[in-house]
Every structure is written in C-alpha cells, then in structure tokens.
Amino acid sequence: MTRFPHQVYARRLAAAAAGAAQAGLAGLVVTPGYDLRYLIGSRAQTFERLTALVIPATGEAVMVIPRLELASLRDSAAGELGLTVQDWVDGENPGDLVALALGGHARVAVTDSMPALHLLPLAERLGAIPVLGTDIMAGLRMIKDPAEIDALRTAGAAIDRVHARVPQFLAPGLSLIHISEPT
C-alpha cells in the first residue's frame, strides 16, 4: 500500500486537534473510513467491535482497537507517528479507553462513518451526545498539503499520457465492437 510520509499525517493530526479545540470540543473520535485513511493512512475496517482514533484537543492521539484487529494498523503511519495503541478484548468496554484518552466525560465530535452501534454507547459513556466532525474534517481537506498536490500532479500526468495515446487508437471506419447477447 502506498501512503504519504508520516510527517504528513502528523501535521494532519495536529490540525484535527486544533480544529476540535477551536470548535470548543474535547476532541475528535474517528472510526474506520476515509477520515481515518486521511489522518493516519489506515485502511482498517469497522466491524462490530469499536476501532477509533481518539484525537484530544490537547494531548496525544490514541488508537483504540480490538486486540484481534491490531494487524490492520500495520500499513498505516501509526507506528511511525508513535501513536499510543490501546487494545482491548471482548468483555472490556472500549468506551472507557476513549473516555480516558479524552479526560473523562467530554463533548466530542465523531466522524460520519461511526455506526450507531458504537455511537450510542459512546454517548452514554461520555455523558454527552457527540456532534458530527464533518466541518472539522472538511476544513482540513479543503486546503491541499504539498504531498497531496504532488500526488494530484502525478495522477494528472498519468491521465495526460493516456489521453495523448487515444488518437492512435482512432481511425476512420472503426466502430465499437458489438458484443452479441448469449443465444
């Protein structure tokens, strides 16, 4: 898997924490999906067990993850970032680990990919209904960092090369290949 250097993710985590602080929140709780991929390069999947990146407005980010899913962090930047990983097993309450990372009861934002299966127990544990972190994340994504700009330039150059070759495939009298229906 290709991902950005860990320094890119470190800047993104710092910006997410600052966004949470600016919004007057204790932090941001990010479950698997495109936001987790954006923040640490993780392609972890969400299942019936809570996996969450907890980004306090002040302090260090913590990854809360079921022990049996630790391998899903292997290709992410979590190790290079020195993220604290709090693993848990069935029978333990991962909401307690989230609350601990946030300093107890807290008003937080969650990403829109968080299933209700995790949202409702988390709200009960934190003593407050979380808000959507969509605005915080949109603000981060709006301005592309140099690594993203380079990736976009690379992708643009690749499609330009494809477009440059298209004329060699076109010739007068050629038509689309007709695929007949099975008989």
Side-chain angles (χ1 to χ4, degrees):
M1 175 176 97
T2 303
R3 63 172 169 78
F4 295 116
H6 73 280
Q7 296 88 343
V8 170
Y9 299 108
R11 287 189 295 274
R12 291 175 180 179
L13 287 172
Q22 186 176 5
L25 300 167
L28 180 62
V29 180
V30 182
T31 50
Y34 48 87
D35 289 322
L36 188 60
R37 195 169 313 127
Y38 176 81
L39 289 167
I40 65 168
S42 173
R43 294 187 181 272
Q45 300 293 314
T46 190
F47 300 104
E48 69 274 6
R49 294 174 181 89
L50 178 67
T51 294
L53 173 63
V54 183
I55 307 169
T58 58
E60 298 298 319
V62 174
M63 191 73 201
V64 174
I65 187 167
R67 187 169 297 155
L68 59 90
E69 295 175 23
L70 282 169
S72 69
L73 292 179
R74 186 177 308 121
D75 293 330
S76 76
E80 292 171 86
L81 291 167
L83 284 180
T84 298
V85 175
Q86 292 287 324
D87 62 331
W88 62 278
V89 296
D90 288 344
E92 296 177 347
N93 183 353
D96 291 341
L97 298 173
V98 173
L100 181 64
L102 293 167
H105 295 288
R107 186 165 176 270
V108 299
V110 297
T111 52
D112 57 17
S113 62
M114 181 180 281
L117 174 69
H118 304 312
L119 176 66
L120 297 175
L122 184 61
E124 183 177 346
R125 174 58 185 86
L126 295 176
I129 297 174
V131 298
L132 280 176
T134 306
D135 290 342
I136 295 170
M137 292 306 301
L140 297 179
R141 292 172 180 272
M142 198 175 298
I143 299 172
K144 303 301 179 205
D145 56 39
E148 286 175 294
I149 292 169
D150 287 344
L152 289 168
R153 282 191 178 120
T154 300
I159 196 64
D160 287 347
R161 287 190 301 276
V162 169
H163 285 162
R165 291 190 62 199
V166 168
Q168 76 187 31
F169 300 113
L170 302 176
L174 289 180
S175 65
L176 293 176
I177 299 172
H178 177 73
I179 300 175
S180 63
E181 293 183 20
T183 53

